[in-house]
Amino acid sequence: MEDDDDLESDDYDEEDSDGGEESLLKRREARLAEMREEVEQSKLSQAEKAAAEEEALRAKLLETKEEVDFAGPALKRKRVEATADNKSSLIANLGAAETPPHDFSKNLGLKSWEGKVVYPGENDEKGSKWEPPEGVNGPIEGSLILELADFDAAQVNKGKGNNTIAIKFMAPSDSKRFSINIAHPGHDDFLSVMFHFNPRQHERGGQIVVNDKQEGNWGQGINLPLSQVPLIFGQTSVTLVIQINGDGFDVFLDGQHCCRLEHRTPLPQKNGPLILQFPSTDDYGSPESWSVYKVWWGHKNSMAGDLSDVKGVNAFSGIHPKKLFISGLPRISTQVEVDHRRAELERAFRKYGGDQGVIATIPTNTTFAFVEVETERSADLALTEMQDLYRMNRARRSRYEALQEERAAKEAANKGNDGGKKENSEWD
């Protein structure tokens, strides 16, 4: 009986234990549910915090500002386009690739042994910048004028020598316009300018005007809408590159080939300086607003690629009677390769050059070359006899060559009219 009583007691305890275990499981499940909810809330809170931090970082990097009435149409339009870009990838790229506003990107490839910084100068404070001074009465007063030394047009026409100006600048959102002039030393207070670059934020929806000026008279300008080029106004900094070649002045904004102004006045015949000017005002005394951080002058291989859609290209057209354009050659980059190609072409076309031989022009980092023969008849023969060896056709006269020919004809006519009086100025 005693054993039966104990068994009944054990049965009762087991039954009571089963009820308690079920209750414990319920409490545990309830607690787990609470913990899951807390974790989800914590994750949500962290996500909101991360989103807020990301937005703050984006605002800092992009310097986000409310749109204002004075921003030009092109600037407003491109700001909307920029907002639609992938924001997370933008943040990831900006922090790593950002170049200081006062310096050039290493990707531009400006080499210290092929040029030098001409502004700021050695006597200027580190990190200094030039801005048009207030209270001036004209474009020359207070303007920044720099000498671009050792310019040799004959070398530039061959793809050699100092040919590149690089400018790092900033134009604020409320800037209406600014300008740059390149002139020869005899510019007469910049009444004659070979190259004029002038972005205008509000004129005709925003445009860049590229032009020349001769004896105070502006030429026919090339007008390029701001909507077709990288942003200029309201940016932390912009890089402008101007390359001079035998055809004209090639203009690049942040790496994009925007336009070309073909030569309208002869380049100097002798090695000498060009003059770069940053005017303080426009021709009517209205102030210009921008900051110039750095200016570099030297040699850089041509940045021009496909010219089919570049505004201003082939505004002048003319076939060279004695020069051949050789294309489809292997690309070369070193001076040894240039010398080897020159010797090869001079030897191959020797019989078409007469007693003096042919003149081979070999631009670096290209797949083409030029060969000038003795006469127009020699060029015709070479085209017929050498077509199986080289891909070639008649070369187009560069503006430099055309202007040199016009100048020579003018000087010959003047010499005949004035009894042999010698011209003194190389810029006439």
Side-chain angles (χ1 to χ4, degrees), residues 186-232:
H187 52 71
D188 191 18
D189 287 339
F190 296 97
L191 287 177
S192 294
V193 172
M194 295 187 298
F195 173 83
H196 174 76
F197 176 81
N198 179 204
R200 306 173 183 179
Q201 184 171 188
H202 300 290
E203 186 174 296
R204 298 183 181 179
Q207 64 175 344
I208 296 173
V209 177
V210 179
N211 207 345
D212 78 312
K213 183 165 64 171
Q214 300 182 33
E215 298 180 352
N217 297 312
W218 289 106
Q220 180 66 43
I222 297 174
N223 301 321
L224 184 66
L226 288 179
S227 59
Q228 297 180 8
V229 303
L231 280 173
I232 296 178

Side-chain angles (χ1 to χ4, degrees), residues 81-149:
E81 293 172 357
T83 304
D85 291 341
N86 185 297
K87 296 180 180 179
S88 61
S89 62
L90 183 60
I91 289 179
N93 293 333
L94 277 179
E98 190 174 12
T99 300
H102 61 275
D103 212 347
F104 295 111
S105 169
K106 292 181 180 179
N107 295 332
L108 191 56
L110 303 179
K111 301 174 182 177
S112 59
W113 59 89
E114 291 189 320
K116 66 176 184 178
V117 173
V118 294
Y119 180 84
E122 295 179 355
N123 298 326
D124 294 314
E125 294 182 8
K126 185 178 180 180
S128 62
K129 61 183 178 180
W130 177 85
E131 296 177 334
E134 297 180 359
V136 296
N137 298 315
I140 297 179
E141 184 180 355
S143 64
L144 177 62
I145 299 176
L146 303 173
E147 183 176 284
L148 307 177

Side-chain angles (χ1 to χ4, degrees), residues 250 257 259-260 262 307-308 310-316 396:
D250 282 326
H257 195 177
C259 65
R260 171 183 288 176
E262 295 187 338
L307 301 176
S308 57
V310 178
K311 195 157 188 177
V313 171
N314 291 341
F316 167 84
R396 190 176 63 86

